[in-house]
Amino acid sequence: MGETRLQWCKEQADEVKEIMVENYNKAVEREGKLGELELRSDDLLRKSKTFTKSAAKVSHQSRWENIKMKVVIGGVLALLAVVVFAVIIWYSVRGD
């Protein structure tokens, strides 16, 4: 009877050992995945900083292009107003 109890304890210990080895292997695998995830997150952070800088440049460039366009439109409207006033003055002088 002592031998069967000893055999049973040995089997239980072997089962626990297998579970512990499996848990250890999963932990090692998880550690590898976490390391990979950390590298990917660092890369994503670096890319987001680059994107932020690029977005700021594009925004600045777009703002200047918008200002230039407004100046051109204002110049054209001013020139058009001068031409209209010149025509009005010319007709008023010529009509006398």
Side-chain angles (χ1 to χ4, degrees):
M1 182 165 171
E3 194 170 306
T4 56
R5 174 113 172 107
L6 183 63
Q7 183 65 28
W8 179 81
C9 286
K10 186 176 185 288
E11 289 172 2
Q12 290 296 316
D14 287 343
E15 278 184 45
V16 170
K17 179 183 171 187
E18 285 179 30
I19 291 171
M20 294 296 285
V21 167
E22 186 177 321
N23 286 343
Y24 173 78
N25 289 338
K26 286 180 181 179
V28 168
E29 182 181 331
R30 208 172 294 124
E31 182 182 352
K33 288 180 181 178
L34 286 174
E36 181 182 331
L37 185 60
E38 184 178 1
L39 290 175
R40 290 171 59 189
S41 69
D42 288 344
D43 186 47
L44 186 59
L45 179 63
R46 183 182 51 78
K47 287 179 180 178
S48 71
K49 288 179 181 179
T50 302
F51 175 78
T52 302
K53 288 178 184 177
S54 296
K57 282 183 179 179
V58 168
S59 176
H60 184 71
Q61 182 180 3
S62 182
R63 189 173 330 143
W64 277 110
E65 287 177 6
N66 191 14
I67 290 170
K68 288 178 192 176
M69 184 61 70
K70 286 180 181 179
V71 167
V72 168
I73 290 172
V76 168
L77 289 176
L79 183 62
L80 186 61
V82 167
V83 168
V84 167
F85 285 129
V87 168
I88 291 172
I89 291 172
W90 184 68
Y91 273 120
S92 66
V93 170
R94 191 177 147 226
D96 282 349

